[in-house]
Each structure stands twice: as structure tokens, then as C-alpha cells.
Amino acid sequence: MSHEGIRMVSAEEARRAEEADRPLPKEATDPAKVRVHKTEGTGVEIDWKDGHRSAWTFAWLRLACPCATCVEEREREGRKPGEPKAKPVELLPMYQAPPRPETVTPVGRYAISFHWNDGHSSGIYSWDFLRRNCICEACKNSF
């Protein structure tokens, strides 16, 4: 009997997976106002209809890309959305331009997408994804 494909998860992982499936109130995932600070290169701010405000840097958003390729890579490496890759030890690190979107496009009424300056463009950042991944102190443990 083969056990390939069976993966044991901790109680904490199971709790997080269950919470990720729990629907959020509509007001929590419905933006009242979205501000993309593309010119300034700083990031995105969303005022939600429930009165909460979320903000992310472009660096965090690029590292949290929700496309299948990026999600698989993060899972394989054990990283959370927005968590950077481990840097190899180098004598002279190569300069890497900070992540910035070249274009920002609404996706229907449910998401936003970015075409990043590194050429990546397949991530669709749903309002639900963004709210569940709000990085403010109040949200870190509530969703």
C-alpha cells in the first residue's frame, strides 16, 4: 500500500485551512476606495466598506503573488504570502530593482492585477485574498 501524496498536517495548519475556507462578511471584502500609489512607488491602500483600512507595499504584493506558480513555489519553500525567499550568501550581491507595477488593471468587480517590472503578470489579487492577507496588527490574527 503506497502512502504517496498523503501529507500530515499540524493542528495549527488544519485550523488555518479551515479559517481560510470560512466566508468573510461582504463588507469586509468589498472595497469602498482603492488607492494604488504607482507614481510614488509605495503600494496599495484599500478602505473597506466595514470601515477597516489595509495597506501593502509593492514588494509585499509581489512576494505574495497568488498565481499558481508562485503559490506552489512558496508552499515548496515553506513561505507565507509576502515572505521573501532565502538569499544565497554572495560576496557581491547583485542589484535588483524594487518591485513596481508597470500597469494596474481592475479584474471585474472582484480583483486587481499587476504587470510587474520583472515581467510577471499572472497573479489576480482578489479582494478576498487581500483582506485575508491584511498585514495590519488588528488583522494578523483575526483572519
Side-chain angles (χ1 to χ4, degrees):
M1 178 176 188
S2 173
H3 293 286
E4 287 183 39
I6 296 176
R7 184 174 154 260
M8 300 299 290
V9 296
S10 69
E12 177 63 20
E13 287 176 309
R15 184 188 65 76
R16 275 188 292 214
E18 186 177 305
E19 286 179 6
D21 291 338
R22 177 178 47 108
L24 297 174
K26 179 149 176 56
E27 300 80 31
T29 59
D30 202 4
K33 186 173 186 179
V34 177
R35 291 175 300 285
V36 179
H37 302 287
K38 186 176 163 213
T39 304
E40 300 89 340
T42 54
V44 174
E45 292 178 357
I46 298 178
D47 292 331
W48 303 100
K49 288 188 177 175
D50 68 355
H52 187 72
R53 175 178 280 178
S54 301
W56 304 266
T57 64
F58 287 134
W60 190 95
L61 289 166
R62 178 60 186 94
L63 289 168
C65 177
C67 80
T69 302
C70 292
V71 168
E72 286 177 12
E73 180 181 309
R74 277 195 308 274
E75 287 176 352
R76 191 173 49 250
E77 296 173 2
R79 293 183 294 119
K80 296 177 183 172
E83 191 175 309
K85 297 177 185 180
K87 296 277 185 189
V89 178
E90 299 174 354
L91 291 175
L92 297 170
M94 297 293 292
Y95 171 76
Q96 186 175 3
R100 288 186 75 156
E102 293 178 347
T103 59
V104 181
T105 310
V107 180
R109 293 182 176 201
Y110 71 95
I112 190 169
S113 70
F114 302 94
H115 186 277
W116 297 101
N117 58 342
D118 66 1
H120 191 67
S121 62
S122 54
I124 296 174
Y125 298 74
S126 71
W127 304 135
D128 185 81
F129 172 84
L130 290 170
R131 183 60 188 262
R132 287 181 189 276
N133 288 284
C134 178
I135 56 177
C136 80
E137 289 301 317
C139 289
K140 280 186 180 175
N141 295 316
S142 51
F143 295 123

